[in-house]
Amino acid sequence: MQHVVDIADMLVTNDPDAVLITHSLGSCIGVTIWDPEAHVGGMIHYMLPASSISPEKAKTQPAMFADTGIPAMFRAAYELGASKKRIVVKVAGGSMLLDDKGTFNIGKRNYVALRQIFWKNGVLIDGEDVGGSCSRTLKLKVGDGTVTVKKRDGEAQL
Amino acid sequence: MNRIQDIIGRVKEIKPLPGTVIRLIHVVNDPLSTIDQIVEAIRYDPVVTGQVLRIVNSAFFSFSREITSLNEALRILGTLKVLQIVMAIHTNSMLSKEQHGYGLPPGKLWQHSVGVALASAAIADHLRDPNRNLLFTAGLLHDIGKVILNEYVATEFAEIARRVAEEKTSFCEAEHQVLGFSHDEIGAQLGEKWQLPPAIIQGIRHHHNPNAVDPPDPLVDILHLADCICLMLGIGLGADGLDYRADEGAMARHGLRESDLETIGIQVLVELQRVSCLFEEGCLECEGEKVGAGQEK
């Protein structure tokens, strides 16, 4: 069963038949987590780095921001029996417009926020496809943990 | 050169916007217009009148009593809201088709266009720019040229993508090099054919390159920034991705900061979810989050 994860949303499941997919990742970032023993998979599509821009929105829609959404996704996975030391993490997105001055850098800041959160919490990234200026579709098969990224030039496993 | 003539031929053939819509755009975009004049522009079109009243009386707005006249709808909702409804109805059929050349499934070009329209109006509000109605319309129509170029982009996609990847041109620069036209140029020609207000045509023509306008035009700057916000957030993002130039001058000229764009982005996403619900039969999300009576946004 395929579940679409919309922008500013996340989903965590232990259904082995579930396929999680998110489309149109621009400067936003999609993160997948997967625990091969607990058979738990999760995906988030966050749009901005820090919830300080709108603490109110962060309460109702934590998956909008890296700093509220990523911890919430990990907590939801732990509740289903996932363990931090087993979790496989993959990351895609963070594209940028063609901008020599680096003014429109939400993509880059989204990625920096993610690295900081993972560094503080001792989480390693197992695979990533970030940056550039393309649109990406990210997919996770919860059954076997396969993660693929689809871009203009085709689909590849991460 | 056959292809260039072919593309121009397509502009000539495309169905005109309904007279009611053209009248409404002109009247609403005049700051001196009264509600009576706006009503006058729509009232003789029973289809549009009926559509507006049906949406105004839908569960989405949840007014406590029935709204029975256009005059009342305009007073309660405000002109921008009514313009949004009429324009969204009429562009929905035109912009909702799949644009496979741009890798846009059905509904995505319309979603992007509504996103840019909402973002343009939101930036206008933020800057206290009085042209929010004009900007909303320009936002909705800014990518109309893609409807015409779609087939040609599909045929030449490999070459356009190659130039973007290897020569670091933007997608519309590559369109121009390969096809003889870019979607912003073709969109502006269509705007001329439809006799849209010149400010909207200028916005469509330069929305990817506000620096080309001398002296700078706030409408073009705002439209450009609104497009940048929607591209970054992936709202109706196609195979052309983020391969467009972003002009920081458009930010600097209006004293806008990155955090302003982020705040507007959040607002646009929330509004877009609501507007999209209006066009989906029996959308359950609306039931939990209805817009209160008299709220104009």
mmCIF file of all heavy atoms in Angstrom, chain B residues 104-148:
data_model
loop_
_atom_site.group_PDB
_atom_site.id
_atom_site.type_symbol
_atom_site.label_atom_id
_atom_site.label_comp_id
_atom_site.label_asym_id
_atom_site.label_seq_id
_atom_site.Cartn_x
_atom_site.Cartn_y
_atom_site.Cartn_z
ATOM 1 N N LEU B 104 4.662 17.840 -15.321
ATOM 2 C CA LEU B 104 3.628 18.238 -14.365
ATOM 3 C C LEU B 104 2.383 17.359 -14.543
ATOM 4 O O LEU B 104 1.707 17.461 -15.560
ATOM 5 C CB LEU B 104 3.256 19.710 -14.565
ATOM 6 C CG LEU B 104 4.323 20.737 -14.187
ATOM 7 C CD1 LEU B 104 4.006 22.095 -14.793
ATOM 8 C CD2 LEU B 104 4.436 20.869 -12.668
ATOM 9 N N PRO B 105 2.075 16.512 -13.554
ATOM 10 C CA PRO B 105 0.853 15.700 -13.637
ATOM 11 C C PRO B 105 -0.391 16.599 -13.601
ATOM 12 O O PRO B 105 -0.272 17.789 -13.270
ATOM 13 C CB PRO B 105 0.915 14.818 -12.383
ATOM 14 C CG PRO B 105 2.275 14.985 -11.820
ATOM 15 C CD PRO B 105 2.819 16.285 -12.326
ATOM 16 N N PRO B 106 -1.589 16.060 -13.909
ATOM 17 C CA PRO B 106 -2.795 16.886 -13.887
ATOM 18 C C PRO B 106 -2.935 17.647 -12.557
ATOM 19 O O PRO B 106 -2.700 17.084 -11.491
ATOM 20 C CB PRO B 106 -3.929 15.860 -14.028
ATOM 21 C CG PRO B 106 -3.305 14.709 -14.731
ATOM 22 C CD PRO B 106 -1.872 14.672 -14.293
ATOM 23 N N GLY B 107 -3.305 18.919 -12.657
ATOM 24 C CA GLY B 107 -3.555 19.713 -11.449
ATOM 25 C C GLY B 107 -2.349 20.462 -10.916
ATOM 26 O O GLY B 107 -2.472 21.417 -10.146
ATOM 27 N N LYS B 108 -1.136 20.057 -11.327
ATOM 28 C CA LYS B 108 0.058 20.644 -10.695
ATOM 29 C C LYS B 108 0.369 22.062 -11.177
ATOM 30 O O LYS B 108 0.825 22.897 -10.404
ATOM 31 C CB LYS B 108 1.272 19.738 -10.925
ATOM 32 C CG LYS B 108 1.244 18.485 -10.088
ATOM 33 C CD LYS B 108 1.401 18.817 -8.616
ATOM 34 C CE LYS B 108 1.157 17.593 -7.753
ATOM 35 N NZ LYS B 108 1.120 17.906 -6.320
ATOM 36 N N LEU B 109 0.135 22.332 -12.479
ATOM 37 C CA LEU B 109 0.407 23.694 -12.954
ATOM 38 C C LEU B 109 -0.587 24.668 -12.307
ATOM 39 O O LEU B 109 -0.239 25.785 -11.934
ATOM 40 C CB LEU B 109 0.312 23.770 -14.488
ATOM 41 C CG LEU B 109 0.580 25.163 -15.083
ATOM 42 C CD1 LEU B 109 1.964 25.683 -14.696
ATOM 43 C CD2 LEU B 109 0.447 25.152 -16.607
ATOM 44 N N TRP B 110 -1.819 24.202 -12.149
ATOM 45 C CA TRP B 110 -2.828 25.042 -11.489
ATOM 46 C C TRP B 110 -2.435 25.282 -10.029
ATOM 47 O O TRP B 110 -2.500 26.393 -9.530
ATOM 48 C CB TRP B 110 -4.206 24.380 -11.580
ATOM 49 C CG TRP B 110 -5.295 25.259 -11.067
ATOM 50 C CD1 TRP B 110 -5.810 26.363 -11.686
ATOM 51 C CD2 TRP B 110 -5.998 25.136 -9.837
ATOM 52 N NE1 TRP B 110 -6.796 26.929 -10.900
ATOM 53 C CE2 TRP B 110 -6.929 26.193 -9.768
ATOM 54 C CE3 TRP B 110 -5.938 24.221 -8.778
ATOM 55 C CZ2 TRP B 110 -7.787 26.371 -8.687
ATOM 56 C CZ3 TRP B 110 -6.788 24.400 -7.702
ATOM 57 C CH2 TRP B 110 -7.701 25.464 -7.660
ATOM 58 N N GLN B 111 -1.972 24.222 -9.363
ATOM 59 C CA GLN B 111 -1.553 24.359 -7.966
ATOM 60 C C GLN B 111 -0.409 25.374 -7.854
ATOM 61 O O GLN B 111 -0.416 26.240 -6.973
ATOM 62 C CB GLN B 111 -1.095 22.989 -7.449
ATOM 63 C CG GLN B 111 -0.819 22.973 -5.961
ATOM 64 C CD GLN B 111 -0.084 21.709 -5.559
ATOM 65 O OE1 GLN B 111 0.971 21.378 -6.106
ATOM 66 N NE2 GLN B 111 -0.641 20.978 -4.605
ATOM 67 N N HIS B 112 0.559 25.278 -8.749
ATOM 68 C CA HIS B 112 1.679 26.221 -8.726
ATOM 69 C C HIS B 112 1.180 27.646 -8.984
ATOM 70 O O HIS B 112 1.589 28.595 -8.304
ATOM 71 C CB HIS B 112 2.720 25.836 -9.784
ATOM 72 C CG HIS B 112 3.853 26.813 -9.904
ATOM 73 N ND1 HIS B 112 4.841 26.916 -8.942
ATOM 74 C CD2 HIS B 112 4.135 27.753 -10.841
ATOM 75 C CE1 HIS B 112 5.681 27.883 -9.298
ATOM 76 N NE2 HIS B 112 5.289 28.412 -10.447
ATOM 77 N N SER B 113 0.267 27.791 -9.946
ATOM 78 C CA SER B 113 -0.240 29.118 -10.297
ATOM 79 C C SER B 113 -1.014 29.742 -9.142
ATOM 80 O O SER B 113 -0.840 30.931 -8.838
ATOM 81 C CB SER B 113 -1.136 29.020 -11.537
ATOM 82 O OG SER B 113 -0.428 28.406 -12.588
ATOM 83 N N VAL B 114 -1.861 28.949 -8.490
ATOM 84 C CA VAL B 114 -2.599 29.469 -7.339
ATOM 85 C C VAL B 114 -1.618 29.802 -6.208
ATOM 86 O O VAL B 114 -1.765 30.826 -5.525
ATOM 87 C CB VAL B 114 -3.679 28.466 -6.856
ATOM 88 C CG1 VAL B 114 -4.338 28.951 -5.575
ATOM 89 C CG2 VAL B 114 -4.743 28.272 -7.932
ATOM 90 N N GLY B 115 -0.613 28.966 -6.030
ATOM 91 C CA GLY B 115 0.408 29.230 -5.006
ATOM 92 C C GLY B 115 1.095 30.568 -5.240
ATOM 93 O O GLY B 115 1.250 31.380 -4.318
ATOM 94 N N VAL B 116 1.492 30.823 -6.487
ATOM 95 C CA VAL B 116 2.181 32.081 -6.817
ATOM 96 C C VAL B 116 1.207 33.265 -6.659
ATOM 97 O O VAL B 116 1.590 34.350 -6.203
ATOM 98 C CB VAL B 116 2.798 32.026 -8.231
ATOM 99 C CG1 VAL B 116 3.371 33.381 -8.643
ATOM 100 C CG2 VAL B 116 3.897 30.973 -8.274
ATOM 101 N N ALA B 117 -0.068 33.049 -7.020
ATOM 102 C CA ALA B 117 -1.072 34.116 -6.855
ATOM 103 C C ALA B 117 -1.228 34.468 -5.371
ATOM 104 O O ALA B 117 -1.211 35.655 -4.990
ATOM 105 C CB ALA B 117 -2.413 33.658 -7.437
ATOM 106 N N LEU B 118 -1.346 33.457 -4.525
ATOM 107 C CA LEU B 118 -1.500 33.694 -3.085
ATOM 108 C C LEU B 118 -0.241 34.334 -2.499
ATOM 109 O O LEU B 118 -0.321 35.251 -1.677
ATOM 110 C CB LEU B 118 -1.789 32.370 -2.362
ATOM 111 C CG LEU B 118 -3.143 31.719 -2.650
ATOM 112 C CD1 LEU B 118 -3.181 30.295 -2.088
ATOM 113 C CD2 LEU B 118 -4.287 32.542 -2.062
ATOM 114 N N ALA B 119 0.922 33.850 -2.936
ATOM 115 C CA ALA B 119 2.183 34.410 -2.425
ATOM 116 C C ALA B 119 2.338 35.864 -2.866
ATOM 117 O O ALA B 119 2.786 36.715 -2.088
ATOM 118 C CB ALA B 119 3.371 33.575 -2.916
ATOM 119 N N SER B 120 1.938 36.172 -4.107
ATOM 120 C CA SER B 120 2.036 37.555 -4.603
ATOM 121 C C SER B 120 1.156 38.480 -3.768
ATOM 122 O O SER B 120 1.587 39.570 -3.359
ATOM 123 C CB SER B 120 1.583 37.635 -6.067
ATOM 124 O OG SER B 120 2.386 36.824 -6.876
ATOM 125 N N ALA B 121 -0.084 38.042 -3.507
ATOM 126 C CA ALA B 121 -0.991 38.865 -2.704
ATOM 127 C C ALA B 121 -0.462 39.004 -1.273
ATOM 128 O O ALA B 121 -0.559 40.073 -0.657
ATOM 129 C CB ALA B 121 -2.396 38.259 -2.697
ATOM 130 N N ALA B 122 0.148 37.923 -0.749
ATOM 131 C CA ALA B 122 0.684 37.968 0.621
ATOM 132 C C ALA B 122 1.872 38.930 0.714
ATOM 133 O O ALA B 122 1.994 39.681 1.693
ATOM 134 C CB ALA B 122 1.100 36.563 1.062
ATOM 135 N N ILE B 123 2.745 38.921 -0.304
ATOM 136 C CA ILE B 123 3.890 39.850 -0.284
ATOM 137 C C ILE B 123 3.367 41.288 -0.400
ATOM 138 O O ILE B 123 3.855 42.190 0.283
ATOM 139 C CB ILE B 123 4.899 39.538 -1.422
ATOM 140 C CG1 ILE B 123 5.493 38.137 -1.255
ATOM 141 C CG2 ILE B 123 6.036 40.570 -1.429
ATOM 142 C CD1 ILE B 123 6.340 37.658 -2.435
ATOM 143 N N ALA B 124 2.356 41.490 -1.268
ATOM 144 C CA ALA B 124 1.771 42.836 -1.408
ATOM 145 C C ALA B 124 1.235 43.319 -0.059
ATOM 146 O O ALA B 124 1.457 44.468 0.336
ATOM 147 C CB ALA B 124 0.654 42.813 -2.452
ATOM 148 N N ASP B 125 0.551 42.445 0.670
ATOM 149 C CA ASP B 125 0.043 42.812 1.993
ATOM 150 C C ASP B 125 1.197 43.170 2.929
ATOM 151 O O ASP B 125 1.155 44.151 3.661
ATOM 152 C CB ASP B 125 -0.767 41.663 2.606
ATOM 153 C CG ASP B 125 -2.124 41.529 1.935
ATOM 154 O OD1 ASP B 125 -2.522 42.467 1.209
ATOM 155 O OD2 ASP B 125 -2.790 40.486 2.127
ATOM 156 N N HIS B 126 2.234 42.352 2.889
ATOM 157 C CA HIS B 126 3.391 42.564 3.769
ATOM 158 C C HIS B 126 4.042 43.919 3.494
ATOM 159 O O HIS B 126 4.455 44.620 4.414
ATOM 160 C CB HIS B 126 4.397 41.428 3.538
ATOM 161 C CG HIS B 126 5.617 41.511 4.403
ATOM 162 N ND1 HIS B 126 5.670 40.960 5.667
ATOM 163 C CD2 HIS B 126 6.821 42.094 4.196
ATOM 164 C CE1 HIS B 126 6.860 41.203 6.198
ATOM 165 N NE2 HIS B 126 7.577 41.885 5.315
ATOM 166 N N LEU B 127 4.105 44.279 2.205
ATOM 167 C CA LEU B 127 4.762 45.542 1.822
ATOM 168 C C LEU B 127 3.771 46.714 1.767
ATOM 169 O O LEU B 127 4.147 47.818 1.402
ATOM 170 C CB LEU B 127 5.420 45.387 0.436
ATOM 171 C CG LEU B 127 6.554 44.370 0.326
ATOM 172 C CD1 LEU B 127 7.016 44.242 -1.129
ATOM 173 C CD2 LEU B 127 7.728 44.779 1.203
ATOM 174 N N ARG B 128 2.534 46.433 2.125
ATOM 175 C CA ARG B 128 1.446 47.425 2.011
ATOM 176 C C ARG B 128 1.376 47.994 0.588
ATOM 177 O O ARG B 128 1.188 49.195 0.378
ATOM 178 C CB ARG B 128 1.627 48.554 3.028
ATOM 179 C CG ARG B 128 1.607 48.034 4.449
ATOM 180 C CD ARG B 128 1.721 49.173 5.457
ATOM 181 N NE ARG B 128 2.141 48.661 6.738
ATOM 182 C CZ ARG B 128 1.378 47.968 7.579
ATOM 183 N NH1 ARG B 128 0.131 47.707 7.258
ATOM 184 N NH2 ARG B 128 1.849 47.539 8.732
ATOM 185 N N ASP B 129 1.570 47.134 -0.371
ATOM 186 C CA ASP B 129 1.446 47.524 -1.780
ATOM 187 C C ASP B 129 -0.045 47.448 -2.153
ATOM 188 O O ASP B 129 -0.690 46.440 -1.915
ATOM 189 C CB ASP B 129 2.257 46.528 -2.642
ATOM 190 C CG ASP B 129 2.293 46.918 -4.117
ATOM 191 O OD1 ASP B 129 1.225 47.142 -4.718
ATOM 192 O OD2 ASP B 129 3.407 46.975 -4.656
ATOM 193 N N PRO B 130 -0.598 48.529 -2.703
ATOM 194 C CA PRO B 130 -2.040 48.535 -2.966
ATOM 195 C C PRO B 130 -2.478 47.623 -4.119
ATOM 196 O O PRO B 130 -3.669 47.437 -4.333
ATOM 197 C CB PRO B 130 -2.321 50.005 -3.315
ATOM 198 C CG PRO B 130 -1.022 50.532 -3.815
ATOM 199 C CD PRO B 130 0.060 49.781 -3.097
ATOM 200 N N ASN B 131 -1.529 47.031 -4.837
ATOM 201 C CA ASN B 131 -1.898 46.273 -6.042
ATOM 202 C C ASN B 131 -2.123 44.783 -5.812
ATOM 203 O O ASN B 131 -1.815 43.959 -6.676
ATOM 204 C CB ASN B 131 -0.815 46.445 -7.112
ATOM 205 C CG ASN B 131 -0.791 47.853 -7.639
ATOM 206 O OD1 ASN B 131 -1.834 48.424 -7.928
ATOM 207 N ND2 ASN B 131 0.395 48.420 -7.739
ATOM 208 N N ARG B 132 -2.679 44.422 -4.676
ATOM 209 C CA ARG B 132 -2.788 42.978 -4.386
ATOM 210 C C ARG B 132 -3.702 42.249 -5.379
ATOM 211 O O ARG B 132 -3.435 41.108 -5.739
ATOM 212 C CB ARG B 132 -3.235 42.737 -2.941
ATOM 213 C CG ARG B 132 -4.633 43.197 -2.642
ATOM 214 C CD ARG B 132 -4.820 43.526 -1.166
ATOM 215 N NE ARG B 132 -4.846 42.388 -0.280
ATOM 216 C CZ ARG B 132 -5.946 41.895 0.288
ATOM 217 N NH1 ARG B 132 -7.128 42.419 0.004
ATOM 218 N NH2 ARG B 132 -5.888 40.907 1.130
ATOM 219 N N ASN B 133 -4.757 42.900 -5.834
ATOM 220 C CA ASN B 133 -5.654 42.229 -6.790
ATOM 221 C C ASN B 133 -4.953 41.985 -8.125
ATOM 222 O O ASN B 133 -5.067 40.926 -8.737
ATOM 223 C CB ASN B 133 -6.909 43.066 -7.036
ATOM 224 C CG ASN B 133 -7.773 43.159 -5.802
ATOM 225 O OD1 ASN B 133 -7.684 42.310 -4.917
ATOM 226 N ND2 ASN B 133 -8.601 44.185 -5.713
ATOM 227 N N LEU B 134 -4.227 43.025 -8.562
ATOM 228 C CA LEU B 134 -3.474 42.922 -9.814
ATOM 229 C C LEU B 134 -2.431 41.812 -9.691
ATOM 230 O O LEU B 134 -2.247 41.001 -10.601
ATOM 231 C CB LEU B 134 -2.785 44.262 -10.065
ATOM 232 C CG LEU B 134 -2.240 44.553 -11.442
ATOM 233 C CD1 LEU B 134 -3.374 44.708 -12.424
ATOM 234 C CD2 LEU B 134 -1.413 45.846 -11.417
ATOM 235 N N LEU B 135 -1.772 41.778 -8.543
ATOM 236 C CA LEU B 135 -0.729 40.780 -8.314
ATOM 237 C C LEU B 135 -1.301 39.371 -8.248
ATOM 238 O O LEU B 135 -0.688 38.421 -8.738
ATOM 239 C CB LEU B 135 0.033 41.109 -7.028
ATOM 240 C CG LEU B 135 1.183 42.082 -7.271
ATOM 241 C CD1 LEU B 135 1.554 42.838 -6.018
ATOM 242 C CD2 LEU B 135 2.399 41.320 -7.812
ATOM 243 N N PHE B 136 -2.468 39.245 -7.641
ATOM 244 C CA PHE B 136 -3.092 37.919 -7.583
ATOM 245 C C PHE B 136 -3.332 37.396 -9.001
ATOM 246 O O PHE B 136 -2.997 36.257 -9.335
ATOM 247 C CB PHE B 136 -4.412 37.969 -6.791
ATOM 248 C CG PHE B 136 -5.070 36.628 -6.687
ATOM 249 C CD1 PHE B 136 -4.734 35.758 -5.663
ATOM 250 C CD2 PHE B 136 -6.000 36.215 -7.629
ATOM 251 C CE1 PHE B 136 -5.308 34.497 -5.574
ATOM 252 C CE2 PHE B 136 -6.587 34.953 -7.549
ATOM 253 C CZ PHE B 136 -6.245 34.100 -6.515
ATOM 254 N N THR B 137 -3.892 38.265 -9.855
ATOM 255 C CA THR B 137 -4.186 37.863 -11.238
ATOM 256 C C THR B 137 -2.897 37.532 -11.992
ATOM 257 O O THR B 137 -2.819 36.528 -12.697
ATOM 258 C CB THR B 137 -4.930 38.995 -11.969
ATOM 259 O OG1 THR B 137 -5.955 39.485 -11.121
ATOM 260 C CG2 THR B 137 -5.546 38.507 -13.253
ATOM 261 N N ALA B 138 -1.899 38.398 -11.833
ATOM 262 C CA ALA B 138 -0.619 38.159 -12.521
ATOM 263 C C ALA B 138 -0.016 36.832 -12.063
ATOM 264 O O ALA B 138 0.524 36.070 -12.875
ATOM 265 C CB ALA B 138 0.352 39.307 -12.245
ATOM 266 N N GLY B 139 -0.138 36.544 -10.774
ATOM 267 C CA GLY B 139 0.388 35.284 -10.236
ATOM 268 C C GLY B 139 -0.298 34.088 -10.854
ATOM 269 O O GLY B 139 0.339 33.109 -11.251
ATOM 270 N N LEU B 140 -1.601 34.189 -10.983
ATOM 271 C CA LEU B 140 -2.379 33.075 -11.531
ATOM 272 C C LEU B 140 -2.016 32.805 -12.994
ATOM 273 O O LEU B 140 -2.052 31.673 -13.456
ATOM 274 C CB LEU B 140 -3.866 33.417 -11.401
ATOM 275 C CG LEU B 140 -4.867 32.291 -11.276
ATOM 276 C CD1 LEU B 140 -4.459 31.271 -10.233
ATOM 277 C CD2 LEU B 140 -6.228 32.865 -10.919
ATOM 278 N N LEU B 141 -1.660 33.866 -13.718
ATOM 279 C CA LEU B 141 -1.412 33.709 -15.163
ATOM 280 C C LEU B 141 0.077 33.689 -15.544
ATOM 281 O O LEU B 141 0.404 33.572 -16.716
ATOM 282 C CB LEU B 141 -2.113 34.844 -15.921
ATOM 283 C CG LEU B 141 -3.652 34.878 -15.804
ATOM 284 C CD1 LEU B 141 -4.200 36.146 -16.441
ATOM 285 C CD2 LEU B 141 -4.275 33.647 -16.441
ATOM 286 N N HIS B 142 0.986 33.776 -14.549
ATOM 287 C CA HIS B 142 2.395 34.005 -14.885
ATOM 288 C C HIS B 142 2.998 32.893 -15.752
ATOM 289 O O HIS B 142 3.888 33.140 -16.553
ATOM 290 C CB HIS B 142 3.237 34.214 -13.610
ATOM 291 C CG HIS B 142 3.577 32.944 -12.881
ATOM 292 N ND1 HIS B 142 2.645 32.234 -12.154
ATOM 293 C CD2 HIS B 142 4.730 32.229 -12.791
ATOM 294 C CE1 HIS B 142 3.218 31.158 -11.638
ATOM 295 N NE2 HIS B 142 4.476 31.127 -12.010
ATOM 296 N N ASP B 143 2.539 31.649 -15.578
ATOM 297 C CA ASP B 143 3.126 30.531 -16.326
ATOM 298 C C ASP B 143 2.221 30.046 -17.457
ATOM 299 O O ASP B 143 2.384 28.921 -17.936
ATOM 300 C CB ASP B 143 3.407 29.353 -15.369
ATOM 301 C CG ASP B 143 4.838 29.367 -14.853
ATOM 302 O OD1 ASP B 143 5.658 30.150 -15.381
ATOM 303 O OD2 ASP B 143 5.141 28.597 -13.929
ATOM 304 N N ILE B 144 1.281 30.880 -17.881
ATOM 305 C CA ILE B 144 0.307 30.459 -18.888
ATOM 306 C C ILE B 144 0.997 30.030 -20.194
ATOM 307 O O ILE B 144 0.494 29.182 -20.933
ATOM 308 C CB ILE B 144 -0.738 31.594 -19.126
ATOM 309 C CG1 ILE B 144 -1.909 31.101 -19.954
ATOM 310 C CG2 ILE B 144 -0.128 32.835 -19.744
ATOM 311 C CD1 ILE B 144 -2.852 30.225 -19.186
ATOM 312 N N GLY B 145 2.186 30.594 -20.433
ATOM 313 C CA GLY B 145 2.950 30.238 -21.642
ATOM 314 C C GLY B 145 3.325 28.758 -21.670
ATOM 315 O O GLY B 145 3.551 28.184 -22.744
ATOM 316 N N LYS B 146 3.395 28.124 -20.495
ATOM 317 C CA LYS B 146 3.758 26.701 -20.454
ATOM 318 C C LYS B 146 2.704 25.838 -21.151
ATOM 319 O O LYS B 146 3.025 24.787 -21.696
ATOM 320 C CB LYS B 146 3.927 26.236 -19.001
ATOM 321 C CG LYS B 146 5.229 26.705 -18.368
ATOM 322 C CD LYS B 146 5.454 26.083 -17.005
ATOM 323 C CE LYS B 146 6.843 26.462 -16.479
ATOM 324 N NZ LYS B 146 7.082 25.951 -15.127
ATOM 325 N N VAL B 147 1.451 26.298 -21.127
ATOM 326 C CA VAL B 147 0.370 25.532 -21.769
ATOM 327 C C VAL B 147 0.635 25.444 -23.271
ATOM 328 O O VAL B 147 0.382 24.421 -23.901
ATOM 329 C CB VAL B 147 -0.999 26.207 -21.483
ATOM 330 C CG1 VAL B 147 -2.123 25.527 -22.242
ATOM 331 C CG2 VAL B 147 -1.285 26.193 -19.988
ATOM 332 N N ILE B 148 1.174 26.530 -23.831
ATOM 333 C CA ILE B 148 1.468 26.548 -25.270
ATOM 334 C C ILE B 148 2.763 25.810 -25.589
ATOM 335 O O ILE B 148 2.833 25.047 -26.551
ATOM 336 C CB ILE B 148 1.548 28.006 -25.782
ATOM 337 C CG1 ILE B 148 0.183 28.643 -25.567
ATOM 338 C CG2 ILE B 148 2.044 28.072 -27.223
ATOM 339 C CD1 ILE B 148 -0.170 29.738 -26.468
#
